[in-house]
Amino acid sequence: MGDRVIFHIDFDYFFAQCEEIRTPELKSRPVCVCVFSNRGGDSGAIATANYIARKFGVKSGMPISFAKKRLEEITNSVFLPVDFDYYLEISERAMNIIKKNADVFEYVGKDEAYLDVTDRVRGDFNRASHLAQQIKNSIRDELKLSCSIGVSPNKLIAKIASDFKKPDGLTIISPEKLEEFLERLKIRTIPGIGKKTEERLMQMNFETIKDLKKLDVFTLNKEFGRKNGTYIFNAVRGIDNEPVKERESSIQYSKIITLKKDSKDFEFLAENLVQLCKELHEVLQKNNKMFKSVGIQFIQSDLTNKTKSRTLKNHTVSLEELQKNAEQLLKDALEDQKNPIRRFGVKVSELSEIRGQSDITRYF
Ligand code: DGT
Ligand code: CA
Ligand code: CA
């Protein structure tokens, strides 16, 4: 097997950058995106901040009051509440651009994905570098969003590389460069090496990845257990054979209603289900989505939750398929149903864009 070519893409200061996209005037100001808790006032934490705010020491996870203190003197700083739905919308559009450029696409989270592009660049790192730049340009042109990309023969090094030069970075680590790249790095840049492992290794006088290579696998296994020891042994040598696994975002669409009366009668529920499916289907059409998984949800009279779902053979847009599958799930679920149902919902997931009709630019 020849070398693989893997990308790790990570959107820069994601939530805060979304806010800058919505309100470009924010670009020159420190921006903090806050998760306010329901205790009122400034209680809560910083989800993320743009790089201007980071210069003043603001970090993800920090209490909002700390961040305010750090930015006390900076009169133009802004603190905004999180708007997950909006970030998800941007994320989905960016992921759709990315997906088109991958042989295999693995969704990791709202602002992160792995791509296997080996076939389309024919294993060539020069071609890969052009492709990565093209992806960055498309995302910037269509969404005004910047991201950082790491390109390498495996997921582990691609992840380290995407974080190497941020924001707006592109770091290419071809197989020949791998060893030199790794040796200069601090041990903690290896994903999975936490504070405790790092401290222990520091005590043993190992500080860089180059130092760590002097340790044999037996010593590492003895010190950190077989699984972690072997992982570290391979990681410092840039070895990682994890495949990029096809995975779509777990985004789902759903509709739920409170029934006119609590019930576990099939006919009554099936009637409601027809309406639920119709409404959900309209949302899907409006958003240009196909689905591959159908589910139903009961909130029972004692307020406990029950769900059932099934995966279809192929993606579909068909209302009939949706209704047929939801109805079957309803039948199955009612077989051993004890409590009457109070709220009843239907959902679809494993979504994908209806091809040929998506037009990202119409949103802007
Ligand atoms: P960067 O370093 O330019 O990639 O910055 P971010 O903000 O994109 O950082 P990342 O990739 O670690 O996280 C992606 C998003 O996840 C981020 O925009 C907000 C959210 N997030 C990250 N850390 C925290 C946290 O500690 N608390 C909360 N509530 N959200 C977080
Ligand atoms: Ca990020
Ligand atoms: Ca991330």
Side-chain angles (χ1 to χ4, degrees):
M1 193 187 85
D3 279 314
R4 294 182 295 157
V5 185
I6 309 297
F7 290 3
H8 180 259
I9 305 186
D10 188 290
F11 308 156
D12 302 320
Y13 62 103
F14 184 51
F15 296 177
Q17 201 185 165
C18 291
E19 296 296 345
E20 290 183 359
I21 293 169
R22 173 154 58 190
T23 319
E25 296 82 65
L26 295 177
K27 275 182 175 297
S28 56
R29 305 165 60 177
V31 177
C32 301
V33 176
C34 308
V35 185
F36 290 101
S37 77
N38 51 18
R39 301 235 179 118
D42 282 341
S43 82
I46 301 295
T48 196
N50 68 359
Y51 280 73
I52 304 179
R54 287 183 199 192
K55 267 200 237 143
F56 295 95
V58 177
K59 288 198 172 82
S60 293
M62 169 183 277
I64 297 165
S65 55
F66 284 28
K68 288 210 165 157
K69 205 153 267 156
R70 303 244 154 125
L71 290 166
E72 215 162 24
E73 321 265 276
I74 319 301
T75 49
N76 69 348
S77 58
V78 280
F79 292 81
L80 301 168
V82 279
D83 181 352
F84 289 116
D85 290 342
Y86 168 63
Y87 310 148
L88 198 62
E89 208 177 298
I90 302 255
S91 166
E92 236 189 303
R93 286 185 221 157
M95 291 298 176
N96 280 330
I97 297 171
I98 294 170
K99 236 181 271 178
K100 282 188 230 146
N101 290 287
D103 302 335
V104 188
F105 170 83
E106 180 177 333
Y107 178 91
V108 181
K110 274 198 197 68
D111 82 324
E112 214 173 305
Y114 288 104
L115 280 63
D116 188 319
V117 299
T118 313
D119 286 344
R120 67 183 57 208
V121 303
R122 281 168 272 157
D124 182 292
F125 273 76
N126 259 323
R127 282 199 199 96
S129 152
H130 285 292
L131 178 61
Q133 192 58 59
Q134 264 171 30
I135 295 176
K136 280 167 67 78
N137 293 346
S138 303
I139 298 178
R140 180 179 298 284
D141 291 348
E142 296 191 29
L143 299 165
K144 312 270 176 281
L145 181 75
S146 84
C147 65
S148 298
I149 305 187
V151 179
S152 103
N154 63 52
K155 285 166 86 172
L156 174 75
I157 308 303
K159 168 109 182 154
I160 296 174
S162 74
D163 202 46
F164 187 66
K165 199 169 157 285
K166 242 183 181 297
D168 204 14
L170 174 54
T171 304
I172 319 268
I173 310 297
S174 59
E176 316 74 78
K177 299 269 173 62
L178 213 164
E179 192 169 348
E180 188 200 338
F181 172 69
L182 269 182
E183 288 196 340
R184 285 177 295 153
L185 301 176
K186 294 265 184 215
I187 290 167
R188 68 169 150 275
T189 46
I190 296 179
I193 294 205
K195 228 182 154 133
K196 258 173 66 187
T197 308
E198 190 197 15
E199 273 167 17
R200 180 75 195 104
L201 288 164
M202 295 285 234
Q203 277 169 8
M204 294 158 76
N205 270 327
F206 296 104
E207 208 164 309
T208 62
I209 291 178
K210 186 173 184 170
D211 301 335
L212 252 188
K213 274 166 106 177
K214 292 176 202 137
L215 273 175
D216 62 88
V217 71
F218 302 104
T219 315
L220 279 165
N221 286 354
K222 213 175 86 208
E223 195 65 42
F224 302 106
R226 211 167 79 96
K227 196 162 159 254
N228 295 334
T230 308
Y231 169 76
I232 296 171
F233 182 83
N234 285 327
V236 296
R237 286 163 180 77
I239 299 170
D240 167 39
N241 293 319
E242 273 299 299
V244 176
K245 294 182 255 332
E246 189 68 45
R247 199 166 97 96
E248 291 275 330
S249 71
S250 55
I251 296 162
Q252 57 178 50
Y253 286 77
S254 62
K255 279 268 166 207
I256 188 159
I257 48 160
T258 303
L259 298 163
K260 293 225 167 66
K261 56 173 198 266
D262 292 6
S263 164
K264 52 177 179 171
D265 172 56
F266 175 76
E267 296 301 327
F268 174 73
L269 289 163
E271 245 171 68
N272 280 282
L273 189 59
V274 171
Q275 190 56 32
L276 278 167
C277 287
K278 263 195 202 138
E279 285 174 23
L280 181 59
H281 189 254
E282 273 166 28
V283 177
L284 286 167
Q285 289 206 303
K286 217 175 83 201
N287 289 283
N288 238 341
K289 294 284 188 266
M290 307 195 279
F291 56 92
K292 203 181 161 195
S293 171
V294 178
I296 58 163
Q297 179 185 14
F298 296 161
I299 297 180
Q300 310 178 102
S301 54
D302 63 355
L303 298 183
T304 57
N305 197 19
K306 181 170 167 181
T307 62
K308 253 193 188 327
S309 66
R310 56 156 59 175
T311 304
L312 315 177
K313 274 209 191 69
N314 299 300
H315 280 95
T316 175
V317 285
S318 153
L319 172 61
E320 205 190 321
E321 283 274 306
L322 175 60
Q323 276 170 341
K324 201 178 71 191
N325 283 286
E327 196 178 291
Q328 189 57 51
L329 287 166
L330 175 63
K331 267 194 194 116
D332 296 348
L334 286 178
E335 260 175 31
D336 57 351
Q337 185 65 24
K338 292 189 186 67
N339 287 318
I341 297 141
R342 180 181 155 79
R343 304 190 72 210
F344 184 27
V346 58
K347 67 162 197 205
V348 289
S349 55
E350 292 185 61
L351 304 177
S352 79
E353 202 82 6
I354 300 176
R355 277 175 215 280
Q357 290 184 35
S358 69
D359 179 11
I360 264 155
T361 48
R362 81 192 135 103
Y363 293 98
F364 284 88

